[in-house]
Every structure is written in structure tokens, then in C-alpha cells.
Amino acid sequence: MVKRLILPVVAVLVLLACCLLSLLVGRVWIDPAVLADGLTTPRTDLAWLILFELRVPRTVLALLVGGSLGLSGAVLQGLLRNPLADPGLLGVTAGASLGAVIAIYFGLSASVALVTPVLGIIGAVLAAALTLAIGRNGTLTMILAGAAVSGLMGAGLSLALNFAPSPYAAYEITSWLLGSLADRGWDQVLLALPFMLAGWACLIATMRDLDALTLGEVQAESLGVNLGRTRLLALAGTALAVGSATAVCGSIGFIGLMAPHLVRPFVGHEPRRVLLPAAFVGALLLLVADIAARLIPSSLELKLGVLTSLAGTPFFFWLVLRLRRMAPS
Amino acid sequence: MSRLEANGLTLRRGGRAIVQDVSLRMQSGMFLGLIGANGAGKSSLLAMLAGLLRPDAGQVAIDGQDVAGLSLRQRALARGYLPQNPRAEWPVSVERLVVLGLTPQLPAFGGLPAGLQQQVARVLDQFDMAGRAQQSVTTLSGGELARTMLARALVGDPPILLADEPLAGLDPHHAIDGIGRLRAFADQGRLVIAALHELTMVARHATHVAVLDQGRLIAFGTTQDVMKADILRQAFQVDACVTGAGTPTAMVDFVALARRTDG
């Protein structure tokens, strides 16, 4: 019993340590004393302002976004029974990106800051609706529909870059697409949070069905699983959680792919038990990546999405090699 | 006492009738062997009987109730279904795989109730898998996986079991063992319907036999009445020699007929 508790306890301690680090690290290093002091007595100086208005929302957002990516990745891998599935598969990420880029393209983001994430969420939901409309009949058709929708949204992104009104707009679009948590505030957290909570509820509701899918689709259906409902919940949950995450901070790759793999061996590969640990590990990975992005010295900001891709690709290679070794030749 | 009735079941795919106007009446205590050549429509018929495939015409009724009117969960409780070559998609433990058979009985969240835990232990023991309960299913041999899947299908104690070629890929020892278990399950008062290719095994262990030929039911009755040379000749295009059908020492031997020229 005690042995079973060690791993979760250590994981939570590591997460807390990373949260603390995330609050203190950055262009301006915060003295831990400011944090301790500010908790007991109200402060209004610059250090406290940076801490409360920038670092705390950034840390919270890293946890929420990473958690959404990890959870959605675990659900999709369980649903598709494919270890290479990730939240970008259903066209949701591309849809959210296109929505946000439209806001930047027409200069709407300059007038009201929140227009970008709002349009991003609308884009994610529309992309998911399109994927569902075309590919509702089966899991394979849903993946193909997702690929088609991703392609369509990608074409829209290219079009926006092609006709960008000024080089500056093109630069703004590209740098937004790279994904970052810098300069996000409480507004973004509060905007994304309700969508994420709704998405998590949908994703977690698939737990039991994912377990039954261990036996394949036919047996799962014979055991009373309504596969159409499971697919709908997974798609809607991904659209809401990952869509709003992408709308707020751009597309961030590999977290959704990696997190479920990292936890699977520790929970006996049971799809149900992968979900919450995957969300936890996703949150931890993104937080660590964000801290690293702030620590690595560079004249320009190192974008978070770039860093996760750089760090994630070797993992992907390892995964492919491992699958090749396990598969019968 | 369970009854399973099929009335005029027809399934068409691509303008061709895969199953045509099949009517069957089955009840508890029967072990029905469903036989027929490859492509005769056995799997489609089983899937329709299980309520997993909607027939283009006709209906299936469990205890007088149309399955189309039952919820997925009600269907899951009324019958167990085992498809051809069932596979596990993740390397979960044998015990977890068997527990999945209780999905319709389980509460949406939370663990396994104590009563069901005992049921799992009993069925694992019954199928000689108790010693391997914690082993990953992907490391099992074909025979062990087939036994585990049978345990999975029977753990919820369904009144009706439909199994599609449950003996495929099993060596003689495990095949005899498997079909013996199916017969024992029927003898305990359940209805077992299995698509099978091992004709001698069918002649020895099945209580009843249904024969499909190109989607049509050409014979249905007790093993003794159906396992006859002329019926097998029509269904499989073989010259068959059947002795002692319906007894433990039955034999079915056959040689292929010369290719028919009349189509």
C-alpha cells in the first residue's frame, strides 16, 4: 500500500516544486520572500504585480493547457487504439489556429485582445462539427475526416499568410502559430477555463467505454457501449478542451502524444486509468517546457511550441522504433 | 428459460443476399452448431442474432421481445457475443480482460463490487487461468487467449451465448476442451449458438445443428437428424460419411466432390 503511494506523492511534490519555480523564474527573477510576504500582507509593488498578474496566470495556463492536451491524447489513443493518435488528429487544433489567425489577419486583435482566443474557440468548434458531419459513421472515417478538415484549415492558414496585409502581420501570424504562454493574463485563463471544464467532463465520460474498447469495437458494442456516443464525446471534449487551449496559446505539439505513453506502463495499460495521470503528466511536461523556454538564453523569445516539438521529436523516434520492434515483422 | 427467435432474417450487401429468409427457434439447454461453407453467411447470421447487425428484413426476438426495441445495455445483459479471432488491443492483465465482460453490470464509476470479484475469480479458475490472472494478455498463447476470451464472454453469466468460430486456431486438445465447456454451459440451462467448422466436434457435442448454404437455411434440427451425408454434401460439396451423429464417438469423414458442372 505504502509502495503504491510513493509514485503519486513524488509526482505531486515535483509538480509543486515546478509550480514554485515557474512563479519565480523569468526575465525578472522574483525573490521567494516576495511570494511569502505577499501571501500574508497585501503588496502593490512591481515584483508582486509581475508575480500575480503575469507569473501566476502563466503557470495556471500551463497546467490547464498541458492537462487538456494530456487528457485528450489519452482519450483519443484509447478510442482509436492507436498509440500515435494525438489531439491534432481531428482537425481541432488547425481549426482553432485558423480562427485565431483570422482575428490577427483582419486586425481585430489590435482593438480587443480577447477576439483572438474567442475566434479560436469558434474555429475549433466549427472544425469539430465538420469532422463529425463527414466522419460520424466509424472510427476510421472520423480519422480521415479529421485529416481532411486539418488540410482544409491548413490551406486557410496558408492563404492568410499568402495575402497577409503587411510583413508585420505575416510575422505576427507565424509567431502566434508557434505557440507560447508569454504575456497571457487572467483574462485568457477565465475565457478558456469554462470550455476546458466542459471538455474535460466530456472526455472523462468516455472512461468506461475506452476500457471496453480494449476488446475491439465489435466486442465493446456487444457489451453495451454506444460507439457513436463515445466518438461524439471524445470529439466534443477535444474540441472544447484542446480547442480553447490552442485558441489561447497557439498550437503545442507532442504533449498530447507523449503524456499517455509515459504513464501507461504504471497503470497496467488500462485505458481508464491512463486518463487522469496523463492529464497530470501533460500539465507537468508543459510547465517544465515553459520554464525551460524562459531559462534558455536567447535574444528573441524561444517559443514554447518550438521547444515541445524539439524535445518531442526524439521521443517520437523512440516510439516508432519501439513499435517496430514489438510488431511482428 | 430463454428463447431466441429469428423470423425471416435477410441481409443484403451490394445487391447480393448474404443471408436470406432465415427463421430459427432456439431455447435454453440447446447447444446449436451453426455450420456451412466459407461465405455461407454464418457470421452475419450470428451478428444479427446478437443484435449487432440490423437485418434488411425480418426480426430477432429474445423471450418474445424484439431486440431492435431493447437498449444496448439490455442486449448486453441478455446475451454474450464472441466474434471471430477476438484480440486484445492493450497489454492489460488476464484478470482485467475478464472483468471487461462485466461492463453492462458495472456501475459507471468506482471499483468492482465484491460479489462480482468472486464471479471473476470463479470463472478464471473454471478456465484454468487463475494462475495467470496477472499476466499480460499479449503474452498468452493462442489457446490461452481463446480460453481467456471465453471466460470474458461467460463471466457475466449471460442466458444466451453467441460465439463465432470459438475453436479457430486451437490445437485438438484445447479445441475439445473448449467445445466441452460450451456444451457444459448449455447443459447448465443456457442457450449456446456457435459457428463451427469442425464437423466431427459438432456431431459429438452439439445438441442441435443448423446448416447454411449460400445464405439459406437448408437444415435445422437435432444433431442426429441433420448431420447426414446428403445434407453435408449439399452444404460443403463433399462426399461425407457420418457415423453415430449425436453420440460422443461420432465421426464425420469426407472427400471433396469432383467440381460441379451444373453451377
Side-chain angles (χ1 to χ4, degrees):
Chain A
M1 194 63 207
V2 175
K3 209 175 163 189
R4 214 184 301 165
L5 279 176
I6 290 176
L7 206 60
V9 168
V10 168
V12 169
L13 288 179
V14 169
L15 185 74
L16 287 177
C18 288
C19 285
L20 192 65
L21 200 59
S22 166
L23 293 180
L24 305 179
V25 168
R27 191 158 296 156
V28 179
W29 287 66
I30 307 278
D31 187 348
V34 176
L35 176 62
D37 191 34
L39 288 177
T40 48
T41 50
R43 292 174 61 128
T44 49
D45 60 345
L46 185 64
W48 177 251
L49 222 59
I50 290 175
L51 187 64
F52 188 74
E53 292 297 332
L54 289 175
R55 296 285 165 76
V56 179
R58 183 173 186 159
T59 305
V60 170
L61 211 51
L63 295 176
L64 292 177
V65 170
S68 296
L69 290 169
L71 183 61
S72 164
V75 167
L76 291 177
Q77 288 179 8
L79 175 72
L80 307 174
R81 287 150 290 134
N82 187 326
L84 301 182
D86 98 332
L89 203 65
L90 300 175
V92 169
T93 314
S97 300
L98 182 60
V101 163
I102 285 173
I104 301 172
Y105 181 83
F106 289 107
L108 303 173
S109 55
S111 44
V112 190
L114 279 185
V115 169
T116 312
V118 167
L119 280 187
I121 292 170
I122 293 173
V125 171
L126 287 181
L130 193 57
T131 302
L132 185 69
I134 308 170
R136 91 179 94 206
N137 299 329
T139 305
L140 187 64
T141 45
M142 199 165 92
I143 301 177
L144 292 174
V149 170
S150 284
L152 182 66
M153 300 294 159
L157 290 173
S158 306
L159 197 64
L161 279 172
N162 194 162
F163 290 131
S166 66
Y168 180 73
Y171 171 74
E172 204 186 340
I173 289 172
T174 352
S175 71
W176 189 89
L177 284 174
L178 295 179
S180 169
L181 283 169
D183 304 324
R184 268 52 168 189
W186 286 112
D187 286 348
Q188 272 93 346
V189 174
L190 292 178
L191 176 75
L193 190 61
F195 292 98
M196 287 185 175
L197 289 178
W200 295 347
C202 290
L203 292 171
I204 287 172
T206 63
M207 258 189 184
R208 204 160 88 120
D209 303 353
L210 297 183
D211 255 3
L213 275 168
T214 300
L215 294 163
E217 294 205 344
V218 178
Q219 287 197 79
E221 208 177 353
S222 84
L223 287 167
V225 171
N226 184 343
L227 288 174
R229 177 179 156 275
T230 313
R231 281 194 287 265
L232 179 65
L233 281 172
L235 179 59
T238 300
L240 291 169
V242 176
S244 54
T246 310
V248 168
C249 61
S251 70
I252 288 171
F254 287 100
I255 301 283
L257 177 72
M258 278 194 285
H261 283 283
L262 293 177
V263 300
R264 204 165 271 133
F266 296 101
V267 296
H269 295 265
E270 289 169 40
R272 172 209 300 261
R273 290 175 56 202
V274 171
L275 300 197
L276 296 182
F280 182 91
V281 168
L284 182 63
L285 284 178
L286 195 62
L287 190 62
V288 169
D290 188 42
I291 295 170
R294 280 181 263 166
L295 279 179
I296 293 170
S298 57
S299 54
L300 283 170
E301 181 203 354
L302 174 59
K303 297 286 184 182
L304 186 56
V306 178
L307 187 64
T308 58
S309 296
L310 274 177
T313 315
F315 172 81
F316 200 82
F317 282 128
W318 170 80
L319 185 63
V320 171
L321 289 176
R322 201 176 72 110
L323 287 176
R324 199 177 62 184
R325 210 170 45 236
M326 275 165 56
S329 48
Chain B
M1 193 71 181
S2 288
R3 281 178 299 130
L4 182 63
E5 285 163 51
N7 287 311
L9 285 182
T10 299
L11 185 75
R12 291 187 201 91
R13 286 289 181 270
R16 205 166 63 90
I18 309 253
V19 175
Q20 205 168 358
D21 198 24
V22 170
S23 297
L24 285 166
R25 277 161 195 281
M26 295 150 286
Q27 60 185 27
S28 304
M30 276 169 80
F31 174 15
L32 178 73
L34 186 59
I35 62 173
N38 297 129
K42 300 185 295 295
S43 295
S44 302
L45 178 59
L46 274 181
M48 283 192 285
L49 290 175
L52 293 170
L53 205 58
R54 193 191 296 271
D56 291 306
Q59 76 262 14
V60 176
I62 294 178
D63 295 332
Q65 265 194 307
D66 192 343
V67 285
L70 297 177
S71 73
L72 286 173
R73 188 169 167 273
Q74 284 171 319
R75 286 180 217 178
L77 288 170
R79 55 97 186 99
Y81 173 77
L82 203 55
Q84 216 167 328
N85 294 324
R87 284 192 331 124
E89 307 269 358
W90 299 111
V92 297
S93 70
V94 167
E95 187 180 30
R96 280 302 306 171
L97 192 89
V98 171
V99 167
L100 293 178
L102 294 168
T103 301
Q105 277 93 341
L106 284 179
F109 290 96
L112 194 62
L116 294 181
Q117 186 71 59
Q118 273 175 5
Q119 221 164 308
V120 172
R122 186 172 50 75
V123 81
L124 278 175
D125 193 45
Q126 204 180 333
F127 282 89
D128 299 329
M129 291 304 291
R132 297 180 181 269
Q134 300 309 322
Q135 193 176 328
S136 158
V137 285
T138 45
T139 62
L140 296 177
S141 72
E144 288 164 343
L145 182 63
R147 290 215 301 278
T148 306
M149 284 292 180
L150 257 180
R152 194 291 290 160
L154 295 181
V155 68
D157 209 1
I160 300 172
L161 174 70
L162 300 136
D164 198 350
E165 298 195 22
L167 309 184
L170 296 190
D171 61 53
H173 178 82
H174 285 111
I176 292 169
D177 182 67
I179 200 164
R181 288 174 200 280
L182 291 176
R183 173 61 188 260
F185 197 62
D187 288 342
Q188 287 162 30
R190 275 68 152 240
L191 167 59
V192 177
I193 303 164
L196 294 164
H197 274 303
E198 299 79 0
L199 298 183
T200 297
M201 302 266 232
V202 172
R204 287 183 187 177
H205 296 277
T207 64
H208 293 72
V209 177
V211 188
L212 281 179
D213 181 31
Q214 294 169 33
R216 291 175 187 277
L217 185 69
I218 57 168
F220 172 46
T222 61
T223 305
Q224 206 178 345
D225 291 342
V226 175
M227 292 300 275
K228 287 184 170 157
D230 55 331
I231 295 173
L232 296 183
R233 181 189 178 99
Q234 187 188 344
F236 295 99
Q237 270 112 65
V238 292
D239 243 336
C241 169
V242 185
T243 52
T247 67
T249 54
M251 284 294 292
V252 179
D253 203 357
F254 39 78
V255 288
L257 280 181
R259 186 174 289 275
R260 276 197 298 197
T261 49
D262 58 349

